[in-house]
Amino acid sequence: MRVRTAYSVAAATSLALLSGCGAADMTKQASPFANAQGAKTVTLSVQSWVGAQANVAVAQYLLEHKLGYRVDTVQVDEVPAWDALSQGRVDAILEDWGHPDQEKRYVDDKKTITRAGGLGVTGHIGWYVPTYLVKQHPDITNWKNLNKYSSLFRTAESGSKGQLMDGSPSYVTNDKALVTNLKLDYQVVFAGSEAAQITQMKQFAKEKKPFLTYWYAPQWLFKKVPMTEVELPAYKEGCDADADKVACAYPHTPLQKYLNTDFAQRGGKAAAFLKKFKWTTEDQNEVSLMIADQKMSPADAAKKWVDNHPATWKAWLS
């Protein structure tokens, strides 16, 4: 689970960095083009973390410029996106970090959603500290030693406890349960969004201050702020089945795509293209970095990537 179980962008004309692995529930903002029979239109679900925005930006660019579709996008939180997809309010989710309950309900039982294959990217959530801190305290990368260093991470928001910084409250995470079940002297504090979390981490790094944060890969920020993962108790299949009893690390999750079943069957070249859309972590990070760090518009970032990687995307159109 992307606990993001994180672990896809507003329309290209207005798309800017959205906040967090989750954003306002906008499922009622249904696109008039979603599931439009006989029309060359596609509606893509947009989650608010920049890696997912990169997927949508490139898919949108190619659908519009190579296949002649009109593309609409709708910003939807992770779990509501499944409802929107099932009901045909959106046609596709391009980056899902694992929602087994929704998958069983809509894919296996109702069959209103169809699996569209892997994105080609493996996602992982974990707890991270800046690498410059590890150089000072090498044993801080083991969870068993976190209580020894909790005073380093105190903030006004965490009080007498160390701060474990999370992103948006809408993200599905195990962090509060982990803090409780591992008996850690920490308080989960939400930054509010991915963008706000990045701002705080960059500021901490600029001042070389300690921080402990929930974070995930792939993510472009690692290139700007080197971080080292804290080793949590090893993940084993089923160890996160009971949300209140979780005491293990997050899994490594091959990210998946899903299509509305009607669209999968009747979506023509667009549906076929989205099923074939598959790229690497390096590809996604390249586009994410252009959007988030270089401040390029998603459309411009997508165009630059497309211009530089014809061998990759031409296979998606064949």
PDB file of all heavy atoms in Angstrom, residues 14 17 28 35 38-39 75-76 99 122 170 172 191 199 202 208 220 223 231 250 270 272 280 282 291 294 297 302:
ATOM      1  N   SER A  14      -3.332  24.885 -16.933  1.00  0.00           N
ATOM      2  CA  SER A  14      -3.372  25.487 -15.601  1.00  0.00           C
ATOM      3  C   SER A  14      -2.636  24.673 -14.578  1.00  0.00           C
ATOM      4  O   SER A  14      -2.671  24.970 -13.399  1.00  0.00           O
ATOM      5  CB  SER A  14      -4.838  25.640 -15.154  1.00  0.00           C
ATOM      6  OG  SER A  14      -5.454  24.377 -15.095  1.00  0.00           O
ATOM      7  N   LEU A  17       2.288  22.918  -9.487  1.00  0.00           N
ATOM      8  CA  LEU A  17       2.556  21.947  -8.433  1.00  0.00           C
ATOM      9  C   LEU A  17       1.391  21.925  -7.475  1.00  0.00           C
ATOM     10  O   LEU A  17       1.047  22.931  -6.867  1.00  0.00           O
ATOM     11  CB  LEU A  17       3.818  22.332  -7.666  1.00  0.00           C
ATOM     12  CG  LEU A  17       5.098  21.685  -8.166  1.00  0.00           C
ATOM     13  CD1 LEU A  17       6.246  22.124  -7.303  1.00  0.00           C
ATOM     14  CD2 LEU A  17       4.974  20.187  -8.184  1.00  0.00           C
ATOM     15  N   LYS A  28     -16.443  15.320  -7.434  1.00  0.00           N
ATOM     16  CA  LYS A  28     -17.672  15.844  -8.019  1.00  0.00           C
ATOM     17  C   LYS A  28     -17.363  16.796  -9.164  1.00  0.00           C
ATOM     18  O   LYS A  28     -18.241  17.242  -9.880  1.00  0.00           O
ATOM     19  CB  LYS A  28     -18.521  16.522  -6.942  1.00  0.00           C
ATOM     20  CG  LYS A  28     -18.912  15.563  -5.821  1.00  0.00           C
ATOM     21  CD  LYS A  28     -20.067  16.087  -5.000  1.00  0.00           C
ATOM     22  CE  LYS A  28     -20.397  15.131  -3.859  1.00  0.00           C
ATOM     23  NZ  LYS A  28     -20.681  13.767  -4.335  1.00  0.00           N
ATOM     24  N   ASN A  35     -15.425   9.159 -20.222  1.00  0.00           N
ATOM     25  CA  ASN A  35     -16.250   8.074 -20.731  1.00  0.00           C
ATOM     26  C   ASN A  35     -17.197   8.545 -21.828  1.00  0.00           C
ATOM     27  O   ASN A  35     -18.311   8.059 -21.943  1.00  0.00           O
ATOM     28  CB  ASN A  35     -17.044   7.440 -19.575  1.00  0.00           C
ATOM     29  CG  ASN A  35     -17.472   6.021 -19.896  1.00  0.00           C
ATOM     30  OD1 ASN A  35     -16.936   5.392 -20.797  1.00  0.00           O
ATOM     31  ND2 ASN A  35     -18.442   5.536 -19.159  1.00  0.00           N
ATOM     32  N   GLY A  38     -17.654   7.586 -28.330  1.00  0.00           N
ATOM     33  CA  GLY A  38     -17.444   8.034 -29.685  1.00  0.00           C
ATOM     34  C   GLY A  38     -16.658   9.324 -29.829  1.00  0.00           C
ATOM     35  O   GLY A  38     -16.404   9.775 -30.941  1.00  0.00           O
ATOM     36  N   ALA A  39     -16.290   9.946 -28.737  1.00  0.00           N
ATOM     37  CA  ALA A  39     -15.553  11.203 -28.806  1.00  0.00           C
ATOM     38  C   ALA A  39     -14.066  10.937 -28.582  1.00  0.00           C
ATOM     39  O   ALA A  39     -13.691  10.054 -27.820  1.00  0.00           O
ATOM     40  CB  ALA A  39     -16.068  12.172 -27.753  1.00  0.00           C
ATOM     41  N   GLN A  75      -8.505  16.596 -10.566  1.00  0.00           N
ATOM     42  CA  GLN A  75      -7.729  16.372  -9.345  1.00  0.00           C
ATOM     43  C   GLN A  75      -8.575  15.615  -8.342  1.00  0.00           C
ATOM     44  O   GLN A  75      -9.635  16.088  -7.923  1.00  0.00           O
ATOM     45  CB  GLN A  75      -7.297  17.711  -8.756  1.00  0.00           C
ATOM     46  CG  GLN A  75      -6.466  17.580  -7.485  1.00  0.00           C
ATOM     47  CD  GLN A  75      -6.132  18.935  -6.890  1.00  0.00           C
ATOM     48  OE1 GLN A  75      -6.115  19.937  -7.602  1.00  0.00           O
ATOM     49  NE2 GLN A  75      -5.890  18.954  -5.601  1.00  0.00           N
ATOM     50  N   VAL A  76      -8.102  14.435  -7.957  1.00  0.00           N
ATOM     51  CA  VAL A  76      -8.864  13.574  -7.060  1.00  0.00           C
ATOM     52  C   VAL A  76      -7.905  12.921  -6.064  1.00  0.00           C
ATOM     53  O   VAL A  76      -6.817  12.492  -6.443  1.00  0.00           O
ATOM     54  CB  VAL A  76      -9.608  12.460  -7.824  1.00  0.00           C
ATOM     55  CG1 VAL A  76     -10.651  11.797  -6.922  1.00  0.00           C
ATOM     56  CG2 VAL A  76     -10.287  12.999  -9.074  1.00  0.00           C
ATOM     57  N   HIS A  99      -4.102  -0.237  -3.393  1.00  0.00           N
ATOM     58  CA  HIS A  99      -5.304  -0.109  -2.567  1.00  0.00           C
ATOM     59  C   HIS A  99      -6.089  -1.409  -2.697  1.00  0.00           C
ATOM     60  O   HIS A  99      -7.020  -1.502  -3.501  1.00  0.00           O
ATOM     61  CB  HIS A  99      -6.139   1.095  -3.017  1.00  0.00           C
ATOM     62  CG  HIS A  99      -5.478   2.409  -2.752  1.00  0.00           C
ATOM     63  ND1 HIS A  99      -4.576   2.979  -3.618  1.00  0.00           N
ATOM     64  CD2 HIS A  99      -5.571   3.255  -1.686  1.00  0.00           C
ATOM     65  CE1 HIS A  99      -4.153   4.128  -3.112  1.00  0.00           C
ATOM     66  NE2 HIS A  99      -4.732   4.313  -1.950  1.00  0.00           N
ATOM     67  N   THR A 122       8.882   1.353  -9.399  1.00  0.00           N
ATOM     68  CA  THR A 122       8.625   0.748  -8.095  1.00  0.00           C
ATOM     69  C   THR A 122       8.668   1.834  -7.036  1.00  0.00           C
ATOM     70  O   THR A 122       9.641   2.581  -6.935  1.00  0.00           O
ATOM     71  CB  THR A 122       9.657  -0.339  -7.769  1.00  0.00           C
ATOM     72  OG1 THR A 122       9.505  -1.414  -8.708  1.00  0.00           O
ATOM     73  CG2 THR A 122       9.442  -0.897  -6.358  1.00  0.00           C
ATOM     74  N   SER A 170      -4.285  13.611   4.149  1.00  0.00           N
ATOM     75  CA  SER A 170      -5.086  12.745   3.283  1.00  0.00           C
ATOM     76  C   SER A 170      -4.310  11.529   2.800  1.00  0.00           C
ATOM     77  O   SER A 170      -4.897  10.588   2.278  1.00  0.00           O
ATOM     78  CB  SER A 170      -5.599  13.528   2.071  1.00  0.00           C
ATOM     79  OG  SER A 170      -4.542  13.827   1.184  1.00  0.00           O
ATOM     80  N   VAL A 172      -2.560   8.006   2.982  1.00  0.00           N
ATOM     81  CA  VAL A 172      -2.738   6.835   3.826  1.00  0.00           C
ATOM     82  C   VAL A 172      -1.357   6.440   4.329  1.00  0.00           C
ATOM     83  O   VAL A 172      -0.485   6.095   3.542  1.00  0.00           O
ATOM     84  CB  VAL A 172      -3.363   5.683   3.036  1.00  0.00           C
ATOM     85  CG1 VAL A 172      -3.620   4.493   3.941  1.00  0.00           C
ATOM     86  CG2 VAL A 172      -4.648   6.136   2.367  1.00  0.00           C
ATOM     87  N   ALA A 191       2.881  18.333   7.551  1.00  0.00           N
ATOM     88  CA  ALA A 191       3.268  19.592   6.911  1.00  0.00           C
ATOM     89  C   ALA A 191       2.090  20.187   6.152  1.00  0.00           C
ATOM     90  O   ALA A 191       1.996  21.400   5.980  1.00  0.00           O
ATOM     91  CB  ALA A 191       4.436  19.355   5.955  1.00  0.00           C
ATOM     92  N   THR A 199       9.355  22.208   1.118  1.00  0.00           N
ATOM     93  CA  THR A 199       9.843  23.514   1.574  1.00  0.00           C
ATOM     94  C   THR A 199      10.525  23.389   2.930  1.00  0.00           C
ATOM     95  O   THR A 199      11.615  23.946   3.147  1.00  0.00           O
ATOM     96  CB  THR A 199       8.683  24.525   1.665  1.00  0.00           C
ATOM     97  OG1 THR A 199       8.148  24.721   0.349  1.00  0.00           O
ATOM     98  CG2 THR A 199       9.158  25.855   2.219  1.00  0.00           C
ATOM     99  N   LYS A 202      13.913  21.430   2.602  1.00  0.00           N
ATOM    100  CA  LYS A 202      14.951  22.246   1.978  1.00  0.00           C
ATOM    101  C   LYS A 202      15.474  23.306   2.944  1.00  0.00           C
ATOM    102  O   LYS A 202      16.676  23.594   2.972  1.00  0.00           O
ATOM    103  CB  LYS A 202      14.398  22.893   0.707  1.00  0.00           C
ATOM    104  CG  LYS A 202      14.180  21.884  -0.426  1.00  0.00           C
ATOM    105  CD  LYS A 202      13.499  22.506  -1.636  1.00  0.00           C
ATOM    106  CE  LYS A 202      14.430  23.368  -2.432  1.00  0.00           C
ATOM    107  NZ  LYS A 202      13.793  23.835  -3.697  1.00  0.00           N
ATOM    108  N   LYS A 208      21.357  22.963   7.818  1.00  0.00           N
ATOM    109  CA  LYS A 208      21.997  21.751   8.343  1.00  0.00           C
ATOM    110  C   LYS A 208      21.382  21.309   9.678  1.00  0.00           C
ATOM    111  O   LYS A 208      22.077  20.849  10.593  1.00  0.00           O
ATOM    112  CB  LYS A 208      23.507  21.964   8.514  1.00  0.00           C
ATOM    113  CG  LYS A 208      24.240  22.106   7.201  1.00  0.00           C
ATOM    114  CD  LYS A 208      24.270  20.774   6.460  1.00  0.00           C
ATOM    115  CE  LYS A 208      25.247  20.808   5.283  1.00  0.00           C
ATOM    116  NZ  LYS A 208      24.624  20.961   3.998  1.00  0.00           N
ATOM    117  N   TRP A 220      12.205  13.429  -6.910  1.00  0.00           N
ATOM    118  CA  TRP A 220      13.315  14.246  -7.418  1.00  0.00           C
ATOM    119  C   TRP A 220      14.132  14.907  -6.315  1.00  0.00           C
ATOM    120  O   TRP A 220      15.311  15.214  -6.516  1.00  0.00           O
ATOM    121  CB  TRP A 220      12.764  15.334  -8.339  1.00  0.00           C
ATOM    122  CG  TRP A 220      11.887  16.337  -7.641  1.00  0.00           C
ATOM    123  CD1 TRP A 220      10.543  16.236  -7.448  1.00  0.00           C
ATOM    124  CD2 TRP A 220      12.296  17.547  -7.011  1.00  0.00           C
ATOM    125  NE1 TRP A 220      10.079  17.322  -6.736  1.00  0.00           N
ATOM    126  CE2 TRP A 220      11.137  18.144  -6.463  1.00  0.00           C
ATOM    127  CE3 TRP A 220      13.528  18.194  -6.858  1.00  0.00           C
ATOM    128  CZ2 TRP A 220      11.173  19.346  -5.771  1.00  0.00           C
ATOM    129  CZ3 TRP A 220      13.554  19.399  -6.168  1.00  0.00           C
ATOM    130  CH2 TRP A 220      12.397  19.965  -5.636  1.00  0.00           C
ATOM    131  N   LYS A 223      17.863  14.254  -5.232  1.00  0.00           N
ATOM    132  CA  LYS A 223      18.997  14.806  -5.962  1.00  0.00           C
ATOM    133  C   LYS A 223      19.453  16.134  -5.366  1.00  0.00           C
ATOM    134  O   LYS A 223      20.604  16.551  -5.546  1.00  0.00           O
ATOM    135  CB  LYS A 223      18.637  14.997  -7.434  1.00  0.00           C
ATOM    136  CG  LYS A 223      18.404  13.694  -8.186  1.00  0.00           C
ATOM    137  CD  LYS A 223      18.114  13.953  -9.648  1.00  0.00           C
ATOM    138  CE  LYS A 223      17.917  12.657 -10.413  1.00  0.00           C
ATOM    139  NZ  LYS A 223      19.146  11.838 -10.467  1.00  0.00           N
ATOM    140  N   GLU A 231      16.152   2.294   9.044  1.00  0.00           N
ATOM    141  CA  GLU A 231      15.748   0.888   8.957  1.00  0.00           C
ATOM    142  C   GLU A 231      14.676   0.600   9.999  1.00  0.00           C
ATOM    143  O   GLU A 231      14.924   0.641  11.210  1.00  0.00           O
ATOM    144  CB  GLU A 231      16.949  -0.024   9.179  1.00  0.00           C
ATOM    145  CG  GLU A 231      16.621  -1.497   9.075  1.00  0.00           C
ATOM    146  CD  GLU A 231      17.827  -2.384   9.340  1.00  0.00           C
ATOM    147  OE1 GLU A 231      18.937  -1.836   9.471  1.00  0.00           O
ATOM    148  OE2 GLU A 231      17.640  -3.609   9.430  1.00  0.00           O
ATOM    149  N   TYR A 250       7.450  -0.189   5.399  1.00  0.00           N
ATOM    150  CA  TYR A 250       6.586  -0.156   4.228  1.00  0.00           C
ATOM    151  C   TYR A 250       7.154  -1.072   3.139  1.00  0.00           C
ATOM    152  O   TYR A 250       8.366  -1.242   3.029  1.00  0.00           O
ATOM    153  CB  TYR A 250       6.501   1.267   3.680  1.00  0.00           C
ATOM    154  CG  TYR A 250       5.783   2.245   4.580  1.00  0.00           C
ATOM    155  CD1 TYR A 250       6.481   2.998   5.522  1.00  0.00           C
ATOM    156  CD2 TYR A 250       4.415   2.430   4.483  1.00  0.00           C
ATOM    157  CE1 TYR A 250       5.832   3.916   6.337  1.00  0.00           C
ATOM    158  CE2 TYR A 250       3.749   3.351   5.285  1.00  0.00           C
ATOM    159  CZ  TYR A 250       4.465   4.095   6.214  1.00  0.00           C
ATOM    160  OH  TYR A 250       3.815   4.994   7.020  1.00  0.00           O
ATOM    161  N   ALA A 270      -6.455   5.468 -27.586  1.00  0.00           N
ATOM    162  CA  ALA A 270      -6.076   6.070 -26.307  1.00  0.00           C
ATOM    163  C   ALA A 270      -5.928   5.011 -25.230  1.00  0.00           C
ATOM    164  O   ALA A 270      -4.962   5.015 -24.459  1.00  0.00           O
ATOM    165  CB  ALA A 270      -7.123   7.112 -25.882  1.00  0.00           C
ATOM    166  N   ALA A 272      -5.380   1.815 -25.704  1.00  0.00           N
ATOM    167  CA  ALA A 272      -4.230   0.976 -26.053  1.00  0.00           C
ATOM    168  C   ALA A 272      -2.918   1.660 -25.674  1.00  0.00           C
ATOM    169  O   ALA A 272      -1.993   1.023 -25.155  1.00  0.00           O
ATOM    170  CB  ALA A 272      -4.254   0.665 -27.546  1.00  0.00           C
ATOM    171  N   THR A 280      10.667   4.404 -16.816  1.00  0.00           N
ATOM    172  CA  THR A 280      11.518   4.068 -15.685  1.00  0.00           C
ATOM    173  C   THR A 280      11.454   5.138 -14.600  1.00  0.00           C
ATOM    174  O   THR A 280      10.960   6.257 -14.821  1.00  0.00           O
ATOM    175  CB  THR A 280      12.982   3.936 -16.131  1.00  0.00           C
ATOM    176  OG1 THR A 280      13.452   5.226 -16.572  1.00  0.00           O
ATOM    177  CG2 THR A 280      13.119   2.930 -17.266  1.00  0.00           C
ATOM    178  N   GLU A 282      13.975   6.717 -13.606  1.00  0.00           N
ATOM    179  CA  GLU A 282      14.819   7.805 -14.096  1.00  0.00           C
ATOM    180  C   GLU A 282      14.035   8.726 -15.025  1.00  0.00           C
ATOM    181  O   GLU A 282      14.191   9.957 -14.968  1.00  0.00           O
ATOM    182  CB  GLU A 282      16.041   7.232 -14.819  1.00  0.00           C
ATOM    183  CG  GLU A 282      17.048   6.523 -13.921  1.00  0.00           C
ATOM    184  CD  GLU A 282      16.564   5.186 -13.396  1.00  0.00           C
ATOM    185  OE1 GLU A 282      15.708   4.544 -14.061  1.00  0.00           O
ATOM    186  OE2 GLU A 282      17.026   4.776 -12.316  1.00  0.00           O
ATOM    187  N   ILE A 291       9.691  19.988 -13.641  1.00  0.00           N
ATOM    188  CA  ILE A 291       8.479  20.658 -13.168  1.00  0.00           C
ATOM    189  C   ILE A 291       8.707  21.322 -11.810  1.00  0.00           C
ATOM    190  O   ILE A 291       8.429  22.509 -11.618  1.00  0.00           O
ATOM    191  CB  ILE A 291       7.309  19.658 -13.065  1.00  0.00           C
ATOM    192  CG1 ILE A 291       6.933  19.114 -14.446  1.00  0.00           C
ATOM    193  CG2 ILE A 291       6.092  20.316 -12.406  1.00  0.00           C
ATOM    194  CD1 ILE A 291       5.934  17.968 -14.396  1.00  0.00           C
ATOM    195  N   GLN A 294      13.038  23.057 -11.701  1.00  0.00           N
ATOM    196  CA  GLN A 294      13.367  24.011 -12.752  1.00  0.00           C
ATOM    197  C   GLN A 294      12.190  24.912 -13.112  1.00  0.00           C
ATOM    198  O   GLN A 294      12.329  25.816 -13.942  1.00  0.00           O
ATOM    199  CB  GLN A 294      13.871  23.261 -13.989  1.00  0.00           C
ATOM    200  CG  GLN A 294      15.140  22.450 -13.721  1.00  0.00           C
ATOM    201  CD  GLN A 294      15.534  21.576 -14.898  1.00  0.00           C
ATOM    202  OE1 GLN A 294      15.132  21.810 -16.041  1.00  0.00           O
ATOM    203  NE2 GLN A 294      16.316  20.538 -14.622  1.00  0.00           N
ATOM    204  N   SER A 297       6.705  24.511 -17.021  1.00  0.00           N
ATOM    205  CA  SER A 297       5.312  24.067 -17.045  1.00  0.00           C
ATOM    206  C   SER A 297       5.299  22.579 -17.352  1.00  0.00           C
ATOM    207  O   SER A 297       6.209  22.073 -18.043  1.00  0.00           O
ATOM    208  CB  SER A 297       4.515  24.817 -18.107  1.00  0.00           C
ATOM    209  OG  SER A 297       4.888  24.375 -19.408  1.00  0.00           O
ATOM    210  N   ALA A 302       7.069  17.977 -20.465  1.00  0.00           N
ATOM    211  CA  ALA A 302       6.692  16.795 -21.235  1.00  0.00           C
ATOM    212  C   ALA A 302       7.260  16.869 -22.654  1.00  0.00           C
ATOM    213  O   ALA A 302       7.802  15.885 -23.174  1.00  0.00           O
ATOM    214  CB  ALA A 302       5.175  16.664 -21.279  1.00  0.00           C
TER     215      ALA A 302
END
